[in-house]
Short mmCIF file of all heavy atoms in Angstrom, two decimals:
data_model
loop_
_atom_site.label_atom_id
_atom_site.label_comp_id
_atom_site.label_asym_id
_atom_site.label_seq_id
_atom_site.Cartn_x
_atom_site.Cartn_y
_atom_site.Cartn_z
N MET X 1 -15.84 -7.58 -7.08
CA MET X 1 -15.50 -8.04 -5.73
C MET X 1 -14.31 -7.24 -5.21
O MET X 1 -13.27 -7.18 -5.85
CB MET X 1 -15.15 -9.53 -5.74
CG MET X 1 -14.95 -10.10 -4.35
SD MET X 1 -14.34 -11.81 -4.41
CE MET X 1 -12.62 -11.55 -4.87
N THR X 2 -14.49 -6.62 -4.07
CA THR X 2 -13.41 -5.85 -3.45
C THR X 2 -12.73 -6.68 -2.38
O THR X 2 -13.39 -7.32 -1.58
CB THR X 2 -13.95 -4.55 -2.85
OG1 THR X 2 -14.58 -3.79 -3.88
CG2 THR X 2 -12.83 -3.73 -2.24
N THR X 3 -11.42 -6.68 -2.41
CA THR X 3 -10.62 -7.40 -1.42
C THR X 3 -9.94 -6.38 -0.52
O THR X 3 -9.46 -5.35 -0.98
CB THR X 3 -9.56 -8.26 -2.11
OG1 THR X 3 -10.21 -9.17 -2.99
CG2 THR X 3 -8.74 -9.05 -1.10
N LYS X 4 -9.91 -6.69 0.78
CA LYS X 4 -9.24 -5.82 1.74
C LYS X 4 -8.08 -6.58 2.35
O LYS X 4 -8.24 -7.73 2.77
CB LYS X 4 -10.23 -5.41 2.82
CG LYS X 4 -9.70 -4.39 3.81
CD LYS X 4 -10.83 -3.97 4.75
CE LYS X 4 -10.43 -2.83 5.66
NZ LYS X 4 -11.58 -2.39 6.50
N ILE X 5 -6.91 -5.93 2.36
CA ILE X 5 -5.72 -6.61 2.89
C ILE X 5 -4.89 -5.62 3.67
O ILE X 5 -4.87 -4.43 3.36
CB ILE X 5 -4.91 -7.25 1.75
CG1 ILE X 5 -3.86 -8.19 2.31
CG2 ILE X 5 -4.29 -6.21 0.83
CD1 ILE X 5 -3.44 -9.26 1.33
N THR X 6 -4.21 -6.11 4.68
CA THR X 6 -3.33 -5.25 5.48
C THR X 6 -1.91 -5.80 5.43
O THR X 6 -1.70 -6.99 5.65
CB THR X 6 -3.82 -5.19 6.94
OG1 THR X 6 -5.14 -4.65 6.96
CG2 THR X 6 -2.91 -4.29 7.77
N TYR X 7 -0.96 -4.90 5.13
CA TYR X 7 0.44 -5.28 5.06
C TYR X 7 1.24 -4.55 6.13
O TYR X 7 0.95 -3.38 6.43
CB TYR X 7 1.05 -4.87 3.70
CG TYR X 7 0.55 -5.61 2.51
CD1 TYR X 7 0.13 -4.92 1.38
CD2 TYR X 7 0.55 -7.00 2.47
CE1 TYR X 7 -0.31 -5.59 0.25
CE2 TYR X 7 0.11 -7.68 1.35
CZ TYR X 7 -0.31 -6.96 0.24
OH TYR X 7 -0.73 -7.63 -0.88
N SER X 8 2.27 -5.18 6.62
CA SER X 8 3.27 -4.52 7.44
C SER X 8 4.38 -4.00 6.52
O SER X 8 4.94 -4.75 5.72
CB SER X 8 3.86 -5.52 8.44
OG SER X 8 4.94 -4.92 9.13
N ILE X 9 4.65 -2.70 6.64
CA ILE X 9 5.68 -2.07 5.80
C ILE X 9 6.67 -1.37 6.72
O ILE X 9 6.47 -0.22 7.13
CB ILE X 9 5.04 -1.07 4.80
CG1 ILE X 9 3.99 -1.80 3.94
CG2 ILE X 9 6.11 -0.41 3.94
CD1 ILE X 9 3.26 -0.91 2.95
N PRO X 10 7.75 -2.07 7.08
CA PRO X 10 8.67 -1.56 8.12
C PRO X 10 9.30 -0.21 7.79
O PRO X 10 9.68 0.53 8.70
CB PRO X 10 9.73 -2.66 8.21
CG PRO X 10 9.05 -3.89 7.69
CD PRO X 10 8.11 -3.42 6.62
N ASN X 11 9.44 0.13 6.52
CA ASN X 11 10.10 1.38 6.15
C ASN X 11 9.27 2.63 6.40
O ASN X 11 9.77 3.74 6.24
CB ASN X 11 10.50 1.36 4.66
CG ASN X 11 11.72 0.49 4.41
OD1 ASN X 11 12.30 -0.05 5.34
ND2 ASN X 11 12.11 0.35 3.15
N ILE X 12 8.02 2.48 6.78
CA ILE X 12 7.22 3.66 7.09
C ILE X 12 7.79 4.31 8.36
O ILE X 12 7.84 3.68 9.41
CB ILE X 12 5.74 3.31 7.33
CG1 ILE X 12 5.11 2.72 6.07
CG2 ILE X 12 4.97 4.55 7.78
CD1 ILE X 12 3.66 2.26 6.27
N SER X 13 8.24 5.57 8.24
CA SER X 13 8.84 6.22 9.41
C SER X 13 8.25 7.58 9.72
O SER X 13 8.51 8.13 10.78
CB SER X 13 10.35 6.33 9.22
OG SER X 13 10.64 7.07 8.07
N CYS X 14 7.49 8.16 8.80
CA CYS X 14 6.97 9.50 9.06
C CYS X 14 5.78 9.78 8.15
O CYS X 14 5.40 8.95 7.32
CB CYS X 14 8.06 10.55 8.83
SG CYS X 14 8.53 10.75 7.09
N GLY X 15 5.22 10.95 8.30
CA GLY X 15 4.06 11.32 7.50
C GLY X 15 4.36 11.39 6.01
O GLY X 15 3.48 11.15 5.18
N HIS X 16 5.60 11.70 5.67
CA HIS X 16 5.97 11.72 4.26
C HIS X 16 5.84 10.33 3.65
O HIS X 16 5.36 10.18 2.53
CB HIS X 16 7.39 12.25 4.10
CG HIS X 16 7.89 12.22 2.68
ND1 HIS X 16 7.53 13.15 1.74
CD2 HIS X 16 8.69 11.34 2.05
CE1 HIS X 16 8.10 12.84 0.58
NE2 HIS X 16 8.80 11.75 0.74
N CYS X 17 6.29 9.33 4.38
CA CYS X 17 6.17 7.95 3.90
C CYS X 17 4.70 7.60 3.68
O CYS X 17 4.34 6.99 2.66
CB CYS X 17 6.74 6.99 4.93
SG CYS X 17 8.48 7.23 5.32
N VAL X 18 3.87 7.96 4.65
CA VAL X 18 2.44 7.70 4.54
C VAL X 18 1.88 8.34 3.27
O VAL X 18 1.16 7.70 2.50
CB VAL X 18 1.69 8.23 5.79
CG1 VAL X 18 0.19 8.24 5.57
CG2 VAL X 18 2.06 7.38 7.01
N HIS X 19 2.23 9.60 3.05
CA HIS X 19 1.73 10.31 1.88
C HIS X 19 2.22 9.64 0.59
O HIS X 19 1.45 9.48 -0.36
CB HIS X 19 2.19 11.77 1.92
CG HIS X 19 1.80 12.53 0.69
ND1 HIS X 19 0.54 12.99 0.46
CD2 HIS X 19 2.52 12.87 -0.41
CE1 HIS X 19 0.49 13.59 -0.72
NE2 HIS X 19 1.67 13.53 -1.27
N THR X 20 3.49 9.28 0.55
CA THR X 20 4.05 8.66 -0.65
C THR X 20 3.34 7.35 -0.98
O THR X 20 2.94 7.12 -2.12
CB THR X 20 5.57 8.41 -0.46
OG1 THR X 20 6.21 9.66 -0.23
CG2 THR X 20 6.16 7.73 -1.69
N ILE X 21 3.19 6.51 0.03
CA ILE X 21 2.55 5.22 -0.20
C ILE X 21 1.11 5.40 -0.67
O ILE X 21 0.67 4.76 -1.64
CB ILE X 21 2.61 4.38 1.11
CG1 ILE X 21 4.03 3.90 1.33
CG2 ILE X 21 1.62 3.21 1.05
CD1 ILE X 21 4.28 3.31 2.70
N GLN X 22 0.39 6.28 -0.01
CA GLN X 22 -1.02 6.47 -0.38
C GLN X 22 -1.15 7.06 -1.77
O GLN X 22 -1.98 6.61 -2.57
CB GLN X 22 -1.71 7.36 0.66
CG GLN X 22 -1.85 6.65 2.00
CD GLN X 22 -2.57 7.45 3.07
OE1 GLN X 22 -3.07 6.86 4.03
NE2 GLN X 22 -2.63 8.75 2.92
N SER X 23 -0.33 8.07 -2.10
CA SER X 23 -0.48 8.72 -3.40
C SER X 23 -0.01 7.85 -4.55
O SER X 23 -0.57 7.89 -5.65
CB SER X 23 0.24 10.07 -3.40
OG SER X 23 1.60 9.91 -3.15
N GLU X 24 1.01 7.02 -4.31
CA GLU X 24 1.50 6.13 -5.38
C GLU X 24 0.53 4.96 -5.60
O GLU X 24 0.21 4.61 -6.74
CB GLU X 24 2.89 5.59 -5.03
CG GLU X 24 3.99 6.63 -5.01
CD GLU X 24 4.42 7.06 -6.40
OE1 GLU X 24 4.23 6.29 -7.36
OE2 GLU X 24 4.98 8.18 -6.52
N LEU X 25 0.07 4.36 -4.52
CA LEU X 25 -0.79 3.18 -4.66
C LEU X 25 -2.14 3.52 -5.29
O LEU X 25 -2.68 2.74 -6.08
CB LEU X 25 -1.02 2.52 -3.31
CG LEU X 25 -0.04 1.44 -2.87
CD1 LEU X 25 -0.45 0.91 -1.51
CD2 LEU X 25 0.03 0.30 -3.88
N ILE X 26 -2.67 4.68 -4.95
CA ILE X 26 -4.00 5.02 -5.44
C ILE X 26 -4.00 5.20 -6.97
O ILE X 26 -5.06 5.12 -7.60
CB ILE X 26 -4.55 6.28 -4.71
CG1 ILE X 26 -6.07 6.28 -4.69
CG2 ILE X 26 -3.99 7.56 -5.29
CD1 ILE X 26 -6.69 5.26 -3.77
N GLU X 27 -2.81 5.39 -7.55
CA GLU X 27 -2.69 5.53 -8.99
C GLU X 27 -2.80 4.18 -9.72
O GLU X 27 -2.99 4.13 -10.93
CB GLU X 27 -1.35 6.17 -9.36
CG GLU X 27 -1.16 7.59 -8.88
CD GLU X 27 -2.14 8.55 -9.56
OE1 GLU X 27 -2.36 8.40 -10.78
OE2 GLU X 27 -2.69 9.42 -8.87
N LEU X 28 -2.64 3.11 -8.98
CA LEU X 28 -2.70 1.77 -9.60
C LEU X 28 -4.15 1.41 -9.90
O LEU X 28 -5.03 1.53 -9.04
CB LEU X 28 -2.08 0.77 -8.62
CG LEU X 28 -1.78 -0.65 -9.13
CD1 LEU X 28 -0.71 -0.62 -10.21
CD2 LEU X 28 -1.32 -1.52 -7.96
N ALA X 29 -4.42 0.98 -11.11
CA ALA X 29 -5.79 0.65 -11.53
C ALA X 29 -6.38 -0.41 -10.63
O ALA X 29 -5.75 -1.44 -10.39
CB ALA X 29 -5.78 0.18 -12.98
N GLY X 30 -7.57 -0.16 -10.12
CA GLY X 30 -8.26 -1.13 -9.28
C GLY X 30 -8.15 -0.86 -7.79
O GLY X 30 -8.86 -1.47 -7.00
N ILE X 31 -7.26 0.07 -7.41
CA ILE X 31 -7.12 0.40 -5.99
C ILE X 31 -8.26 1.31 -5.57
O ILE X 31 -8.50 2.35 -6.19
CB ILE X 31 -5.77 1.09 -5.70
CG1 ILE X 31 -4.60 0.20 -6.11
CG2 ILE X 31 -5.68 1.49 -4.22
CD1 ILE X 31 -4.43 -1.03 -5.27
N LYS X 32 -8.97 0.91 -4.52
CA LYS X 32 -10.12 1.67 -4.04
C LYS X 32 -9.79 2.58 -2.88
O LYS X 32 -10.32 3.69 -2.78
CB LYS X 32 -11.24 0.70 -3.62
CG LYS X 32 -11.77 -0.12 -4.78
CD LYS X 32 -12.31 0.81 -5.86
CE LYS X 32 -12.67 0.07 -7.12
NZ LYS X 32 -13.02 0.99 -8.22
N SER X 33 -8.96 2.11 -1.97
CA SER X 33 -8.56 2.96 -0.85
C SER X 33 -7.24 2.47 -0.29
O SER X 33 -6.88 1.29 -0.42
CB SER X 33 -9.62 2.96 0.26
OG SER X 33 -9.65 1.72 0.92
N VAL X 34 -6.50 3.41 0.29
CA VAL X 34 -5.21 3.10 0.91
C VAL X 34 -5.13 3.89 2.22
O VAL X 34 -5.27 5.11 2.20
CB VAL X 34 -4.02 3.50 0.02
CG1 VAL X 34 -2.70 3.11 0.68
CG2 VAL X 34 -4.13 2.89 -1.37
N VAL X 35 -4.92 3.19 3.31
CA VAL X 35 -4.73 3.87 4.59
C VAL X 35 -3.44 3.34 5.20
O VAL X 35 -3.35 2.18 5.61
CB VAL X 35 -5.91 3.63 5.56
CG1 VAL X 35 -5.64 4.33 6.89
CG2 VAL X 35 -7.21 4.15 4.94
N ALA X 36 -2.42 4.22 5.25
CA ALA X 36 -1.14 3.86 5.86
C ALA X 36 -1.05 4.54 7.22
O ALA X 36 -1.54 5.64 7.40
CB ALA X 36 0.01 4.30 4.96
N ASP X 37 -0.40 3.86 8.17
CA ASP X 37 -0.29 4.39 9.53
C ASP X 37 1.18 4.41 9.94
O ASP X 37 1.84 3.37 9.96
CB ASP X 37 -1.10 3.50 10.48
CG ASP X 37 -1.17 4.08 11.89
OD1 ASP X 37 -0.10 4.32 12.49
OD2 ASP X 37 -2.30 4.26 12.39
N GLN X 38 1.69 5.60 10.27
CA GLN X 38 3.11 5.71 10.58
C GLN X 38 3.47 5.13 11.95
O GLN X 38 4.63 4.82 12.21
CB GLN X 38 3.58 7.16 10.49
CG GLN X 38 3.05 8.06 11.59
CD GLN X 38 3.43 9.51 11.33
OE1 GLN X 38 2.81 10.22 10.53
NE2 GLN X 38 4.47 9.96 12.00
N ASN X 39 2.50 4.98 12.83
CA ASN X 39 2.78 4.44 14.16
C ASN X 39 2.82 2.92 14.16
O ASN X 39 3.74 2.32 14.71
CB ASN X 39 1.74 4.94 15.16
CG ASN X 39 1.80 6.45 15.32
OD1 ASN X 39 2.88 7.02 15.50
ND2 ASN X 39 0.66 7.10 15.22
N THR X 40 1.84 2.30 13.52
CA THR X 40 1.81 0.84 13.48
C THR X 40 2.62 0.28 12.31
O THR X 40 2.90 -0.90 12.27
CB THR X 40 0.36 0.34 13.34
OG1 THR X 40 -0.17 0.80 12.09
CG2 THR X 40 -0.51 0.86 14.47
N LYS X 41 2.96 1.13 11.35
CA LYS X 41 3.64 0.73 10.11
C LYS X 41 2.81 -0.28 9.31
O LYS X 41 3.36 -1.12 8.58
CB LYS X 41 5.05 0.19 10.38
CG LYS X 41 5.93 1.19 11.16
CD LYS X 41 7.33 0.67 11.33
CE LYS X 41 8.14 1.55 12.29
NZ LYS X 41 8.30 2.92 11.82
N MET X 42 1.51 -0.21 9.49
CA MET X 42 0.60 -1.07 8.75
C MET X 42 -0.11 -0.25 7.67
O MET X 42 -0.39 0.94 7.86
CB MET X 42 -0.45 -1.68 9.68
CG MET X 42 0.13 -2.46 10.86
SD MET X 42 1.13 -3.88 10.39
CE MET X 42 -0.18 -5.06 10.03
N THR X 43 -0.39 -0.90 6.56
CA THR X 43 -1.12 -0.25 5.48
C THR X 43 -2.26 -1.15 5.05
O THR X 43 -2.06 -2.33 4.74
CB THR X 43 -0.19 0.03 4.28
OG1 THR X 43 0.82 0.94 4.68
CG2 THR X 43 -0.96 0.61 3.10
N THR X 44 -3.46 -0.61 5.06
CA THR X 44 -4.64 -1.35 4.67
C THR X 44 -5.12 -0.86 3.30
O THR X 44 -5.26 0.35 3.08
CB THR X 44 -5.77 -1.18 5.72
OG1 THR X 44 -5.30 -1.71 6.96
CG2 THR X 44 -7.03 -1.92 5.28
N ILE X 45 -5.32 -1.81 2.42
CA ILE X 45 -5.63 -1.51 1.02
C ILE X 45 -6.89 -2.24 0.61
O ILE X 45 -7.03 -3.44 0.90
CB ILE X 45 -4.46 -1.96 0.11
CG1 ILE X 45 -3.16 -1.27 0.52
CG2 ILE X 45 -4.78 -1.70 -1.37
CD1 ILE X 45 -1.92 -2.00 0.08
N GLU X 46 -7.81 -1.53 -0.03
CA GLU X 46 -8.97 -2.16 -0.64
C GLU X 46 -8.78 -2.09 -2.16
O GLU X 46 -8.49 -1.03 -2.70
CB GLU X 46 -10.26 -1.44 -0.23
CG GLU X 46 -10.65 -1.69 1.21
CD GLU X 46 -11.96 -1.00 1.58
OE1 GLU X 46 -12.05 0.22 1.40
OE2 GLU X 46 -12.89 -1.69 2.00
N TYR X 47 -8.95 -3.24 -2.81
CA TYR X 47 -8.70 -3.27 -4.25
C TYR X 47 -9.62 -4.26 -4.94
O TYR X 47 -10.22 -5.13 -4.32
CB TYR X 47 -7.24 -3.62 -4.54
CG TYR X 47 -6.87 -5.04 -4.17
CD1 TYR X 47 -6.94 -6.06 -5.13
CD2 TYR X 47 -6.45 -5.36 -2.88
CE1 TYR X 47 -6.60 -7.37 -4.79
CE2 TYR X 47 -6.11 -6.67 -2.55
CZ TYR X 47 -6.20 -7.66 -3.50
OH TYR X 47 -5.87 -8.94 -3.17
N GLU X 48 -9.72 -4.09 -6.24
CA GLU X 48 -10.42 -5.06 -7.07
C GLU X 48 -9.63 -5.19 -8.37
O GLU X 48 -8.68 -4.46 -8.60
CB GLU X 48 -11.87 -4.63 -7.32
CG GLU X 48 -12.00 -3.30 -8.03
CD GLU X 48 -13.45 -2.83 -8.14
OE1 GLU X 48 -14.24 -3.10 -7.23
OE2 GLU X 48 -13.76 -2.18 -9.15
N ALA X 49 -10.02 -6.14 -9.24
CA ALA X 49 -9.33 -6.34 -10.51
C ALA X 49 -9.35 -5.02 -11.29
O ALA X 49 -10.36 -4.30 -11.24
CB ALA X 49 -10.01 -7.45 -11.30
N PRO X 50 -8.27 -4.71 -12.03
CA PRO X 50 -7.11 -5.54 -12.34
C PRO X 50 -6.00 -5.53 -11.28
O PRO X 50 -4.98 -6.15 -11.52
CB PRO X 50 -6.60 -4.94 -13.65
CG PRO X 50 -6.92 -3.48 -13.51
CD PRO X 50 -8.25 -3.44 -12.79
N ALA X 51 -6.19 -4.83 -10.18
CA ALA X 51 -5.15 -4.86 -9.14
C ALA X 51 -5.11 -6.25 -8.50
O ALA X 51 -6.13 -6.94 -8.44
CB ALA X 51 -5.41 -3.81 -8.09
N ASN X 52 -3.93 -6.63 -8.04
CA ASN X 52 -3.78 -7.88 -7.28
C ASN X 52 -2.58 -7.73 -6.35
O ASN X 52 -1.85 -6.74 -6.42
CB ASN X 52 -3.63 -9.08 -8.20
CG ASN X 52 -2.47 -8.96 -9.16
OD1 ASN X 52 -1.41 -8.46 -8.79
ND2 ASN X 52 -2.65 -9.41 -10.39
N GLU X 53 -2.41 -8.70 -5.48
CA GLU X 53 -1.33 -8.60 -4.49
C GLU X 53 0.04 -8.51 -5.13
O GLU X 53 0.93 -7.81 -4.65
CB GLU X 53 -1.37 -9.81 -3.54
CG GLU X 53 -2.44 -9.70 -2.48
CD GLU X 53 -2.11 -10.58 -1.29
OE1 GLU X 53 -1.16 -10.26 -0.55
OE2 GLU X 53 -2.79 -11.60 -1.12
N GLU X 54 0.22 -9.23 -6.22
CA GLU X 54 1.51 -9.21 -6.90
C GLU X 54 1.86 -7.80 -7.38
O GLU X 54 2.98 -7.31 -7.19
CB GLU X 54 1.47 -10.19 -8.08
CG GLU X 54 2.79 -10.39 -8.78
CD GLU X 54 2.68 -11.37 -9.96
OE1 GLU X 54 1.57 -11.89 -10.19
OE2 GLU X 54 3.68 -11.59 -10.63
N LYS X 55 0.87 -7.13 -7.99
CA LYS X 55 1.10 -5.77 -8.51
C LYS X 55 1.31 -4.78 -7.37
O LYS X 55 2.15 -3.88 -7.46
CB LYS X 55 -0.08 -5.33 -9.37
CG LYS X 55 -0.19 -6.06 -10.70
CD LYS X 55 -1.44 -5.60 -11.46
CE LYS X 55 -1.60 -6.36 -12.77
NZ LYS X 55 -2.87 -6.00 -13.44
N ILE X 56 0.53 -4.94 -6.32
CA ILE X 56 0.65 -4.03 -5.18
C ILE X 56 2.03 -4.17 -4.53
O ILE X 56 2.72 -3.18 -4.29
CB ILE X 56 -0.47 -4.32 -4.15
CG1 ILE X 56 -1.83 -3.92 -4.72
CG2 ILE X 56 -0.19 -3.58 -2.83
CD1 ILE X 56 -3.02 -4.43 -3.92
N LYS X 57 2.45 -5.40 -4.30
CA LYS X 57 3.76 -5.62 -3.68
C LYS X 57 4.90 -5.15 -4.58
O LYS X 57 5.90 -4.61 -4.09
CB LYS X 57 3.93 -7.11 -3.35
CG LYS X 57 3.10 -7.56 -2.17
CD LYS X 57 3.34 -9.04 -1.89
CE LYS X 57 2.63 -9.49 -0.63
NZ LYS X 57 2.85 -10.93 -0.34
N ALA X 58 4.75 -5.33 -5.89
CA ALA X 58 5.79 -4.89 -6.82
C ALA X 58 5.91 -3.37 -6.80
O ALA X 58 7.02 -2.81 -6.80
CB ALA X 58 5.48 -5.38 -8.23
N LEU X 59 4.77 -2.67 -6.76
CA LEU X 59 4.80 -1.21 -6.71
C LEU X 59 5.45 -0.73 -5.41
O LEU X 59 6.32 0.15 -5.43
CB LEU X 59 3.38 -0.65 -6.85
CG LEU X 59 3.27 0.87 -6.70
CD1 LEU X 59 4.15 1.59 -7.71
CD2 LEU X 59 1.83 1.33 -6.84
N LEU X 60 5.05 -1.32 -4.30
CA LEU X 60 5.61 -0.92 -3.02
C LEU X 60 7.13 -1.16 -2.99
O LEU X 60 7.89 -0.31 -2.49
CB LEU X 60 4.91 -1.68 -1.88
CG LEU X 60 3.50 -1.18 -1.58
CD1 LEU X 60 2.76 -2.17 -0.68
CD2 LEU X 60 3.52 0.21 -0.95
N ALA X 61 7.58 -2.26 -3.53
CA ALA X 61 9.03 -2.54 -3.57
C ALA X 61 9.74 -1.52 -4.45
O ALA X 61 10.84 -1.07 -4.12
CB ALA X 61 9.26 -3.95 -4.09
N SER X 62 9.09 -1.12 -5.55
CA SER X 62 9.73 -0.19 -6.48
C SER X 62 9.89 1.20 -5.91
O SER X 62 10.74 1.97 -6.38
CB SER X 62 8.93 -0.14 -7.80
OG SER X 62 7.78 0.68 -7.66
N ILE X 63 9.11 1.56 -4.91
CA ILE X 63 9.26 2.88 -4.28
C ILE X 63 9.93 2.76 -2.90
O ILE X 63 9.84 3.65 -2.06
CB ILE X 63 7.91 3.63 -4.16
CG1 ILE X 63 6.88 2.84 -3.35
CG2 ILE X 63 7.36 3.92 -5.56
CD1 ILE X 63 5.59 3.63 -3.06
N ASP X 64 10.60 1.63 -2.68
CA ASP X 64 11.39 1.38 -1.47
C ASP X 64 10.56 1.24 -0.20
O ASP X 64 11.05 1.57 0.90
CB ASP X 64 12.46 2.48 -1.29
CG ASP X 64 13.53 2.40 -2.35
OD1 ASP X 64 13.85 1.27 -2.77
OD2 ASP X 64 14.04 3.46 -2.77
N TYR X 65 9.35 0.74 -0.35
CA TYR X 65 8.55 0.38 0.81
C TYR X 65 8.10 -1.07 0.69
O TYR X 65 6.90 -1.36 0.58
CB TYR X 65 7.35 1.32 0.97
CG TYR X 65 7.74 2.72 1.32
CD1 TYR X 65 7.67 3.74 0.37
CD2 TYR X 65 8.20 3.03 2.59
CE1 TYR X 65 8.05 5.03 0.68
CE2 TYR X 65 8.58 4.32 2.91
CZ TYR X 65 8.49 5.32 1.96
OH TYR X 65 8.87 6.60 2.27
N PRO X 66 9.05 -2.01 0.70
CA PRO X 66 8.66 -3.42 0.52
C PRO X 66 7.83 -3.92 1.69
O PRO X 66 8.00 -3.48 2.84
CB PRO X 66 10.01 -4.14 0.45
CG PRO X 66 10.97 -3.24 1.15
CD PRO X 66 10.49 -1.84 0.86
N VAL X 67 6.94 -4.82 1.37
CA VAL X 67 6.09 -5.46 2.38
C VAL X 67 6.93 -6.45 3.19
O VAL X 67 7.74 -7.18 2.61
CB VAL X 67 4.91 -6.19 1.69
CG1 VAL X 67 4.11 -7.02 2.68
CG2 VAL X 67 4.02 -5.18 0.99
N ALA X 68 6.73 -6.48 4.49
CA ALA X 68 7.48 -7.41 5.34
C ALA X 68 7.06 -8.84 5.05
O ALA X 68 5.90 -9.12 4.76
CB ALA X 68 7.22 -7.10 6.81
N GLY X 69 8.02 -9.74 5.19
CA GLY X 69 7.72 -11.18 5.07
C GLY X 69 7.81 -11.59 3.70
O GLY X 69 7.24 -11.86 2.84
CU1 CU C 101 8.97 9.04 6.05
#
């Protein structure tokens, strides 16, 4: 089962941020796709087990792109 989720990540400010988020997240087991947008600061992720929201949010926080809220 694939889950699709969209997060607001306020620290996204340029194409480098987009690249960093996409390249780091795709390395996490279970991540199927990552699309980050520097204009909306939204990132849409498709994932399945063993990935989960807790792991995704922890990874994003560890690279200084914490999820809003
Ligand atoms: Cu940037």
Side-chain angles (χ1 to χ4, degrees):
M1 187 187 75
T2 302
T3 302
K4 186 175 187 176
I5 192 156
T6 300
Y7 291 131
S8 173
I9 303 178
N11 284 357
I12 297 176
S13 59
C14 69
H16 176 78
C17 300
V18 168
H19 176 77
T20 299
I21 287 168
Q22 292 182 159
S23 60
E24 293 284 337
L25 270 181
I26 206 72
E27 296 294 320
L28 191 65
I31 301 292
K32 296 302 172 187
S33 71
V34 182
V35 178
D37 187 304
Q38 70 186 80
N39 296 312
T40 63
K41 304 184 189 298
M42 304 299 280
T43 297
T44 298
I45 302 158
E46 288 182 304
Y47 68 93
E48 60 186 34
N52 57 39
E53 282 202 70
E54 187 180 358
K55 290 177 182 174
I56 291 168
K57 287 181 174 180
L59 175 57
L60 286 167
S62 79
I63 59 172
D64 292 325
Y65 293 105
V67 173

